[in-house]
Amino acid sequence: MIKVINAASTPKTPVAAGHLRSILGPDEEGTRVRVALLDVEVGKSCRLASSDDRTQVLYVMEGQGAHLAHTAGGRLEEHALPRRAGVYLEPGEEATMTAAGAPLVLLLVSVPKHTARPTDSASPRGYVFVEAQLRSLIDEKASRERTFWVNKETGLSESWDLQLGRMAYAPQAHSPRHVHHPSKTSPVTPEHFYFIEKGTGEVKDDAGSRPVGPGDLVLIPAGEWHQLAASDSGFDYIEFQAPFDFMTTMDHDPLGKNWYIKGTDDGTGKPQRWVQS
């Protein structure tokens, strides 16, 4: 059954950098994915230590003047990051994010390494991303727009561990009614959530509908038919699926799976279609 968790209702735990809210994980909801929000005080830092078997993402949701130190393959790189930027870490990499000029709100996501589907690289590498510099996709009606931070098929990450990014809905826009299942190559049941930052609307499933709004994390089990619909406010939210090795079935809206590369032209005046598996 779909579950709606409001982040503001989860307890804050004092940590060295500030305060931590654990929203998803084995202890909270029995999930393989771990999701947390971290409030970082000015002058303090959040460090993601190297992991042997988990992929990690650290993302600046709120605040300016973040300083990032990213270590991969024994090489240290430093970056000044704006709001809505972050770092993707493969196992063996580490990162430290410091609130240099203002308090930060960071999103932390980590998932187990997905080894069931082979990759093109024997040693995948992490990377720093700035959302405003990434390619965006629009749907058939140009009423939904998505920007992936992590996605193997956009050429960003080199692994199938997760798909993560931002989705924006115009007023009254909605997704097709759809369902996700493991792919034929995956023994892992996919985990899926939306984290609403702005806007209100409802999430629908076979049991009915429930309202959602800012601060709500919508956890959707595999095999649950679902649909997200915005009110007049539209939506701005973070979408997640892991592993990125699943099948999607649409109901009564076969064009709902089509996405197009924003700002391109296929020669007919329409944007170029993005081909995905």
Side-chain angles (χ1 to χ4, degrees):
M1 184 174 66
I2 290 176
K3 185 170 186 178
V4 178
I5 305 163
N6 187 265
S9 68
T10 59
K12 280 187 175 183
T13 303
V15 294
H19 291 88
L20 181 74
R21 289 192 183 101
S22 294
I23 303 172
L24 287 182
D27 296 334
E28 290 78 21
E29 298 294 335
T31 58
R32 300 165 73 248
V33 59
R34 294 188 178 115
V35 179
L37 293 176
L38 177 62
D39 298 323
V40 182
E41 299 170 3
V42 175
K44 295 188 177 182
S45 301
C46 165
R47 178 175 177 266
L48 287 188
S50 170
S51 171
D52 292 333
D53 60 356
R54 295 185 73 87
T55 297
Q56 305 178 90
V57 177
L58 185 60
Y59 175 77
V60 182
M61 290 187 64
E62 297 292 343
Q64 297 288 345
H67 177 268
L68 173 70
H70 174 211
T71 302
R75 180 181 176 184
L76 171 65
E77 294 185 354
E78 299 188 49
H79 304 266
L81 293 187
R83 177 174 175 262
R84 294 193 172 184
V87 61
Y88 166 80
L89 304 176
E90 286 281 354
E93 301 179 0
E94 61 182 60
T96 299
M97 190 87 75
T98 302
L104 302 175
V105 178
L106 304 180
L107 173 69
L108 293 76
V109 178
S110 77
V111 297
K113 193 71 183 167
H114 183 60
T115 58
R117 189 169 181 176
T119 65
D120 302 328
S121 173
S123 301
R125 297 290 299 271
Y127 54 87
V128 173
F129 61 89
V130 177
E131 187 177 307
Q133 299 174 2
L134 299 177
R135 180 176 65 185
S136 293
L137 307 171
I138 55 175
D139 73 351
E140 190 84 27
K141 301 174 183 177
S143 62
R144 297 181 296 153
E145 181 174 334
R146 71 196 317 179
T147 305
F148 290 119
W149 316 330
V150 182
N151 179 289
K152 176 73 167 63
E153 293 184 337
T154 59
L156 292 171
S157 62
E158 298 176 309
S159 302
W160 300 101
D161 303 341
L162 75 159
Q163 172 175 274
L164 180 64
R166 180 172 301 281
M167 183 86 86
Y169 281 24
Q172 296 295 327
H174 59 83
S175 69
R177 183 174 178 269
H178 61 288
V179 65
H180 307 291
H181 293 286
S183 75
K184 295 179 181 179
T185 63
S186 178
V188 180
T189 299
E191 294 178 338
H192 181 29
F193 71 75
Y194 306 132
F195 183 57
I196 310 297
E197 284 200 77
K198 295 180 181 179
T200 60
E202 60 182 352
V203 60
K204 303 177 183 180
D205 60 13
D206 288 342
S209 66
R210 65 203 75 184
V212 292
D216 285 339
L217 186 147
V218 183
L219 180 61
I220 304 165
E224 287 272 354
W225 284 93
H226 58 282
Q227 183 179 38
L228 188 66
S231 69
D232 288 339
S233 67
F235 264 138
D236 189 357
Y237 67 90
I238 294 166
E239 61 167 336
F240 164 94
Q241 286 160 316
F244 183 38
D245 193 6
F246 58 88
M247 298 185 297
T248 299
T249 302
M250 302 288 177
D251 185 20
H252 307 306
D253 189 0
L255 297 181
K257 195 175 181 179
N258 293 350
W259 289 92
Y260 301 85
I261 303 171
K262 185 178 180 180
T264 62
D265 191 322
D266 66 0
T268 68
K270 296 180 180 180
Q272 180 181 346
R273 185 173 174 180
W274 177 55
V275 179
Q276 58 180 328
S277 61

